[in-house]
């Protein structure tokens, strides 16, 4: 008689792998060390969280009234200080009557950043769109066109300055970092030496020193009567600093590519740049997505150091708003908590986007 195949009926898994309890088991109570850490942190949260919530929410003052806030000092937070000073914190020293311009410019740039992260919009037209957005941004911020009042870059500040500096620094530093990373692995001694000296020199000094040199020392070497805008000098300094660190991250990805990949490309007759563009760089950059995104987040936060050259970005504008006003100076903690939330939103969004990119790359590898 011919044998027949009788499939075994499916049975439920002995241990559930989906749901709340499995997630708690794998992430918070996976072993005894993890369990102890979870319990300790939970205990600290239960000890301090009620007091913080009472200070930040239940006993907080929302009205921008200095007398009411003074009466609640030590008991509740004064969020009314943010309502009173938010325009100076967000827009810095930009003229009060013209602050609609940085608001519109920042909204357009943030919308373009969000659009650039959407895969269906990735095309050559995205470069054209970015050129138009940057042109609109600088026209709105600087003025002097279409009847807009001219505003010097020394008055730019707050969130618009932070977003502009970080966006342009990332956009300029990334291709420069790729070229420097390739140069450090070049077979030409001259190019390799120049790239190595650049990376080691930049990485050997803090960013504050680079900004100080760009703002105060560099003009001393310029011909008499020739001046370069301080904002441009700061942008170049941050870009060069970020590119040096990012180049080392990318170089690590290049070293992880097997030599056989390059040899196979050479056997097919591909040139050096064809090999790098089509074979080596796509794989290397995919390996170092977390490190590259970490550099992007660092650039965004390091823009706070431009205060040293009298450019008051988000952090500097906060200090300027509260330290110069004796009535609201005691509530600078609330102000720093506010800008902490702003930084967290942008950094967390970049981190989540990095995870999405990694998931897309992992999906392509499993096909």
């Amino acid at each position: 008689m011919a044998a027949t195949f009788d499939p075994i009926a499916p049975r439920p898994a002995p241990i559930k792998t989906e749901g709340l309890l499995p997630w708690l088991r794998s992430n918070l109570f996976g072993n005894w060390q993890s369990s102890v850490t979870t319990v300790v942190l939970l205990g600290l949260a239960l000890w301090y969280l009620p007091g913080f919530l009472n200070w930040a929410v239940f006993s907080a003052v929302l009205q921008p009234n200095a007398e009411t806030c003074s009466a609640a000092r030590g008991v509740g937070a004064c969020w009314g200080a943010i309502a009173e000073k938010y325009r100076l914190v967000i827009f810095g020293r930009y003229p009060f009557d013209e602050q609609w311009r940085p608001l519109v410019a920042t909204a357009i740039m943030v919308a373009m950043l969000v659009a650039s992260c959407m895969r269906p919009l990735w095309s050559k037209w995205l470069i054209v769109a970015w050129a138009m957005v940057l042109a609109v941004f600088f026209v709105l911020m600087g003025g002097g066109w279409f009847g807009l009042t001219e505003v010097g870059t020394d008055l730019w500040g707050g969130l618009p300055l932070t977003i502009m500096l970080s966006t342009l620094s990332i956009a300029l530093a990334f291709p420069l970092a790729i070229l420097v990373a390739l140069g450090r692995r070049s077979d030409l001694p001259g190019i390799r030496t120049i790239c190595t000296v650049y990376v080691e020199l930049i990485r050997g000094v803090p960013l504050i020193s680079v900004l100080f040199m760009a703002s105060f020392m560099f003009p001393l070497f310029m011909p008499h009567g020739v001046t370069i805008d301080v904002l441009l000098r700061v942008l170049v300094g941050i870009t060069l600093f970020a590119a040096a660190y990012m180049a080392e991250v990318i170089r690590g990805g290049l070293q992880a590519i097997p030599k056989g990949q390059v040899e196979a490309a050479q056997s097919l007759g591909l040139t050096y740049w064809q090999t790098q563009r089509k074979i080596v760089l796509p794989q290397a950059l995919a390996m170092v997505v977390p490190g590259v995104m970490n550099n992007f987040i660092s650039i965004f936060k390091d823009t706070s150091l431009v205060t040293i050259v009298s450019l008051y970005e988000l952090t500097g504008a906060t200090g300027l708003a509260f330290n110069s006003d004796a009535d609201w100076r005691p509530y600078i903690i609330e102000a720093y908590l506010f800008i902490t939330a702003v930084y967290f939103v942008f950094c967390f969004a970049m981190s989540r986007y990095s995870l999405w990119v990694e998931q897309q790359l992992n999906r392509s590898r499993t096909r």
Side-chain angles (χ1 to χ4, degrees):
M1 295 179 61
T4 58
F5 175 72
D6 295 326
I8 300 176
R11 293 173 294 178
I15 299 177
K16 290 185 177 180
T17 58
E18 297 180 354
L20 178 61
L21 291 179
W23 184 90
L24 293 175
R25 187 185 303 114
S26 61
N27 291 277
L28 302 181
F29 300 97
N31 49 49
W32 71 269
Q33 297 97 330
S34 178
S35 301
V36 170
T37 304
T38 300
V39 172
V40 170
L41 293 178
L42 184 60
L44 292 175
L46 292 176
W47 180 264
Y48 288 105
L49 191 59
F52 177 78
L53 290 177
N54 180 67
W55 176 82
V57 180
F58 302 115
S59 299
V61 177
L62 302 180
Q63 297 81 12
N65 187 299
E67 295 181 357
T68 306
C69 288
S70 180
R73 285 183 62 182
V75 179
C78 177
W79 301 119
I82 307 300
E84 177 70 21
K85 296 288 188 178
Y86 78 95
R87 295 188 68 163
L88 187 55
V89 171
I90 297 297
F91 302 114
R93 298 181 297 171
Y94 206 89
F96 187 86
D97 295 334
E98 302 289 335
Q99 287 181 356
W100 65 269
R101 290 160 52 182
L103 175 62
V104 174
T106 305
I108 292 174
M109 182 166 284
V110 171
M112 193 63 199
L113 287 170
V114 174
S116 300
C117 295
M118 299 180 180
R119 192 169 184 176
L121 300 179
W122 293 351
S123 67
K124 61 181 180 180
W125 296 106
L126 194 61
I127 300 177
V128 178
W130 263 112
M132 296 175 60
V133 166
L134 290 177
V136 171
F137 180 89
F138 284 105
V139 167
L140 285 174
M141 292 293 295
W145 295 79
F146 308 108
L148 296 175
T149 305
E150 187 172 356
V151 178
T153 57
D154 58 321
L155 296 179
W156 298 12
L159 186 61
L161 183 61
T162 296
I163 293 178
M164 187 273 291
L165 283 176
S166 56
T167 300
L168 292 183
S169 298
I170 290 172
L172 297 174
F174 186 68
L176 178 59
I178 293 177
L179 294 177
V180 173
L182 293 174
R184 291 206 64 180
R185 291 175 51 82
S186 174
D187 295 329
L188 301 176
I191 295 178
R192 186 171 62 249
T193 301
I194 292 174
C195 293
T196 301
V197 170
Y198 160 69
V199 170
E200 297 301 333
L201 180 63
I202 295 296
R203 294 176 69 201
V205 295
L207 179 57
I208 290 181
S209 299
V210 176
L211 295 177
F212 182 84
M213 291 288 293
S215 180
F216 300 109
M217 298 298 294
F218 181 74
L220 299 178
F221 298 96
M222 299 297 295
H224 181 70
V226 177
T227 59
I228 301 177
D229 191 272
V230 63
L231 182 60
L232 179 59
R233 300 199 300 268
V234 166
L235 178 61
V236 172
I238 296 176
T239 299
L240 294 176
F241 186 86
Y245 279 85
M246 202 179 307
E248 289 298 276
V249 175
I250 296 175
R251 186 169 70 92
L254 294 174
Q255 290 179 338
I257 302 300
K259 189 177 180 180
Q261 298 271 343
V262 179
E263 293 175 347
Q266 292 173 346
S267 66
L268 294 174
L270 298 181
T271 63
Y272 172 81
W273 290 110
Q274 287 176 331
T275 302
Q276 300 299 326
R277 182 170 59 89
K278 297 182 178 181
I279 297 176
V280 176
L281 281 177
Q283 298 181 74
L285 294 178
M287 293 180 182
V288 296
V289 168
V292 170
M293 185 57 66
N294 184 59
N295 274 272
F296 289 172
I297 294 175
S298 296
I299 294 173
F300 180 76
K301 294 186 296 183
D302 286 345
T303 55
S304 60
L305 297 176
V306 302
T307 307
I308 193 176
V309 295
S310 301
L311 289 177
Y312 296 97
E313 43 65 65
L314 189 59
T315 305
T318 301
L320 181 67
F322 284 84
N323 291 330
S324 60
D325 192 332
D327 292 334
W328 298 103
R329 189 181 305 159
Y331 314 108
I332 196 169
I333 294 179
E334 287 87 337
Y336 279 122
L337 288 175
F338 171 71
I339 65 170
T340 297
V342 175
Y343 277 110
F344 176 79
V345 168
F346 282 94
C347 294
F348 184 76
M350 288 189 281
S351 177
R352 294 298 97 183
Y353 182 71
S354 174
L355 291 178
W356 178 83
V357 172
E358 290 182 62
Q359 292 175 356
Q360 299 299 311
L361 293 173
N362 290 334
R363 183 181 304 173
S364 65
R365 294 193 190 102
T366 57
R367 290 178 181 175

